[in-house]
C-alpha cells in the first residue's frame, strides 16, 4: 500500500470589490473581476492523503465525519485534480478552520485553496500558482483569491484557463487591518453557491456588473496609492451594491441582522469623527471593519462595548496558500 500525504494552510480573504454571480456555474466563472485581501490568522489547514488502497473519498471537517452534499462537493473537486494530475486513487481529506464556518468569513475560500494546494503537493506534482488558482476556483470561486499572497485581483476571464487570480501587492505593502465584528457564528441558511445562482434574478445585477471593472480600478488605485478616503468610499459602495442584489433576488436573501445595520451606521459615524475605518460584508451578518493599523485598537475597543458583538477577530494582510508538511509511505 502506498500513501502520499501533504498538508496546506490557506487564509480566508475579504473582498473589497465583490464576487457575486457566475457566467458559468460549472466552472465558477464570475460575472465580474474582484479584489481582496488575505486575512492573517484566519485560516484552514487541510491534509490530503492519496492512497491506492482507499475505496472512496472521505472527509473530516473540524473533527466531524462529513457525508452527503459536503463530501460530494469535495469529491467533485478531487475529481478535477485527479483528471489534471493523472491520478486514479481516492483521497482521505482532513480539514479544520480556526474561525466560524459558513458565517460570512470566507471559510470555503480558505478550505478549497488549502485542499487544492495539499492535493497537488501530495501527488508530487508541480503546477504554477496561476494554474493552482484556477483549480481552487472550481471548488469555491473566492478560493482562487486565497492562493496568492497579500492583496489579490481575480480576473473574470471567459474560460477555465483565463479566470485566475494574482497578487497586486505584498501583505506589508499597506498596513490595513480587518477588525471583524462577529455578531453570529451560525451557519447561514442559504450558502454562497445557491446565492450566486439567484443573483441573475435581481433587476439590479446587470447594473452592478456593468460598473464592477471601474470600481475595481478605483479600489486598486486607492490601495496602490494608500489613499484611505478613496478606498473607504468605493469599498462601502461595492458592498452595498452586492447586498442590494441579494435583497432584490427572487426569493430575496437577507443576510443582514439588526446589529449589522447598527454597526454599519456606527462605522460611518466613526469615520466622520476622524477614525480611518470603513465597512464591508460578505454573504453573512458579520461586519468587516477595515481600518488603518494605527486605528485598529480603537475600532476594536468600540466594537467590544457593543452588547450585540459576541467576538472581535483582528486580521492584518495575510500570505498565500502554503505547504506545511508532506510525506510518502509505501
Amino acid at each position: 500500500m502506498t500513501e502520499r500525504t501533504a498538508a496546506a494552510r490557506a487564509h480566508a480573504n475579504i473582498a473589497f470589490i465583490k464576487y457575486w454571480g457566475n457566467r458559468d456555474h460549472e466552472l465558477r466563472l464570475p460575472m465580474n473581476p474582484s479584489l481582496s485581501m488575505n486575512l492573517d490568522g484566519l485560516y484552514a489547514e487541510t491534509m490530503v492523503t492519496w492512497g491506492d488502497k482507499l475505496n472512496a473519498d472521505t472527509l473530516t471537517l473540524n473533527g466531524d465525519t462529513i457525508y452527503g452534499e459536503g463530501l460530494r462537493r469535495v469529491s467533485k473537486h478531487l475529481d478535477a485534480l485527479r483528471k489534471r494530475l493523472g491520478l486514479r486513487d481516492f483521497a482521505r481529506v482532513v480539514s479544520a478552520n480556526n474561525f466560524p464556518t459558513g458565517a460570512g468569513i470566507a471559510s470555503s475560500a480558505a478550505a478549497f485553496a488549502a485542499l487544492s494546494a495539499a492535493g497537488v503537493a501530495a501527488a508530487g506534482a508541480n503546477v504554477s500558482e496561476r494554474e493552482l488558482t484556477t483549480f481552487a476556483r472550481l471548488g469555491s470561486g473566492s478560493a482562487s483569491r486565497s492562493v496568492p499572497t497579500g492583496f489579490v485581483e481575480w480576473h473574470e476571464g471567459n474560460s477555465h484557463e483565463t479566470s485566475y487570480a494574482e497578487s497586486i501587492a505584498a501583505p506589508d505593502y499597506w498596513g490595513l487591518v480587518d477588525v471583524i465584528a462577529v455578531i453570529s457564528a451560525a451557519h447561514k441558511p442559504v450558502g454562497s453557491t445557491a446565492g450566486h445562482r439567484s443573483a441573475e434574478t435581481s433587476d439590479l445585477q446587470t447594473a452592478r456588473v456593468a460598473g464592477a471593472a471601474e470600481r475595481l480600478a478605483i479600489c486598486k488605485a486607492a490601495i496602490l496609492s494608500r489613499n484611505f478616503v478613496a478606498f473607504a468610499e468605493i469599498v462601502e459602495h461595492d458592498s452595498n451594491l452586492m447586498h442590494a442584489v441579494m435583497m432584490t433576488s427572487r426569493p430575496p436573501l437577507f443576510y443582514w441582522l439588526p446589529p449589522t445595520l447598527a454597526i454599519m451606521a456606527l462605522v460611518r459615524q466613526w469615520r466622520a469623527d476622524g477614525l480611518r475605518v470603513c465597512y464591508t460584508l460578505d454573504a453573512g451578518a458579520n461586519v468587516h471593519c477595515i481600518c488603518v493599523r494605527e486605528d485598529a485598537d480603537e475600532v476594536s475597543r468600540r466594537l467590544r462595548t457593543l452588547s450585540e458583538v459576541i467576538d472581535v477577530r483582528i486580521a492584518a494582510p495575510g500570505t498565500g496558500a502554503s505547504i506545511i508538511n508532506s510525506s510518502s509511505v509505501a
Side-chain angles (χ1 to χ4, degrees):
M1 178 177 180
T2 300
E3 289 193 345
R4 295 152 294 159
T5 298
R9 173 183 289 182
H11 296 91
N13 68 74
I14 179 63
F16 301 141
I17 301 300
K18 303 297 189 183
Y19 153 53
W20 195 248
N22 293 317
R23 67 181 67 222
D24 184 315
H25 292 293
E26 186 66 21
L27 294 177
R28 299 185 193 270
L29 302 182
M31 291 295 296
N32 61 270
S34 57
L35 192 62
S36 66
M37 180 180 84
N38 287 346
L39 301 177
D40 187 42
L42 300 177
Y43 57 81
E45 287 186 350
T46 301
M47 182 171 65
V48 174
T49 300
W50 299 107
D52 58 9
K53 299 301 181 183
L54 298 176
N55 55 21
D57 295 323
T58 63
L59 171 63
T60 302
L61 177 60
N62 296 323
D64 297 324
T65 301
I66 305 299
Y67 302 99
E69 180 55 33
L71 177 58
R72 283 192 292 271
R73 186 175 176 185
V74 167
S75 285
K76 182 178 179 181
H77 194 64
L78 292 170
D79 284 343
L81 291 178
R82 278 186 277 259
K83 181 177 179 180
R84 166 62 177 83
L85 303 175
L87 297 176
R88 300 181 64 181
D89 295 348
F90 289 107
R92 184 167 58 249
V93 178
V94 180
S95 186
N97 305 321
N98 73 338
F99 59 95
T101 298
I105 315 181
S107 55
S108 63
F112 278 97
L115 174 62
S116 301
V120 169
N126 290 308
V127 302
S128 67
E129 180 180 270
R130 171 171 169 166
E131 186 177 8
L132 188 60
T133 72
T134 68
F135 279 108
R137 188 199 73 240
L138 295 175
S140 169
S142 54
S144 63
R145 298 192 308 245
S146 285
V147 173
T149 192
F151 299 87
V152 177
E153 179 177 358
W154 174 19
H155 304 277
E156 76 270 35
N158 55 17
S159 67
H160 173 65
E161 293 76 17
T162 58
S163 182
Y164 68 96
E166 63 179 340
S167 175
I168 64 163
D172 61 357
Y173 182 80
W174 190 14
L176 293 183
V177 177
D178 186 3
V179 183
I180 307 170
V182 180
I183 62 174
S184 174
H187 201 291
K188 54 200 176 192
V190 179
S192 296
T193 296
H196 288 298
R197 290 185 178 276
S198 73
E200 58 205 47
T201 68
S202 168
D203 294 339
L204 304 182
Q205 174 71 339
T206 299
R208 187 197 73 83
V209 170
E214 180 181 2
R215 292 193 301 277
L216 188 146
I218 293 169
C219 187
K220 186 175 180 177
I223 291 171
L224 296 179
S225 62
R226 304 182 183 90
N227 182 340
F228 191 83
V229 173
F231 173 81
E233 181 178 340
I234 202 66
V235 165
E236 288 186 350
H237 180 54
D238 193 82
S239 178
N240 292 343
L241 282 170
M242 181 182 72
H243 282 271
V245 168
M246 294 171 173
M247 294 176 192
T248 54
S249 296
R250 302 184 184 95
L253 294 175
F254 294 99
Y255 287 115
W256 294 350
L257 297 174
T260 306
L261 282 165
I263 293 171
M264 290 162 63
L266 283 171
V267 166
R268 290 183 65 84
Q269 183 59 55
W270 294 344
R271 188 162 75 253
D273 293 341
L275 280 181
R276 290 161 292 179
V277 60
C278 64
Y279 67 76
T280 187
L281 290 92
D282 279 343
N286 299 318
V287 184
H288 295 256
C289 302
I290 313 298
C291 57
V292 298
R293 182 178 293 115
E294 293 80 2
D295 291 343
D297 287 344
E298 178 62 16
V299 170
S300 175
R301 185 192 69 78
R302 295 188 185 192
L303 289 172
R304 292 180 191 278
T305 67
L306 304 177
S307 60
E308 304 89 346
V309 175
I310 61 176
D311 192 16
V312 174
R313 303 295 295 266
I314 300 175
T319 56
S322 61
I323 303 302
I324 51 181
N325 64 63
S326 62
S327 63
S328 180
V329 178

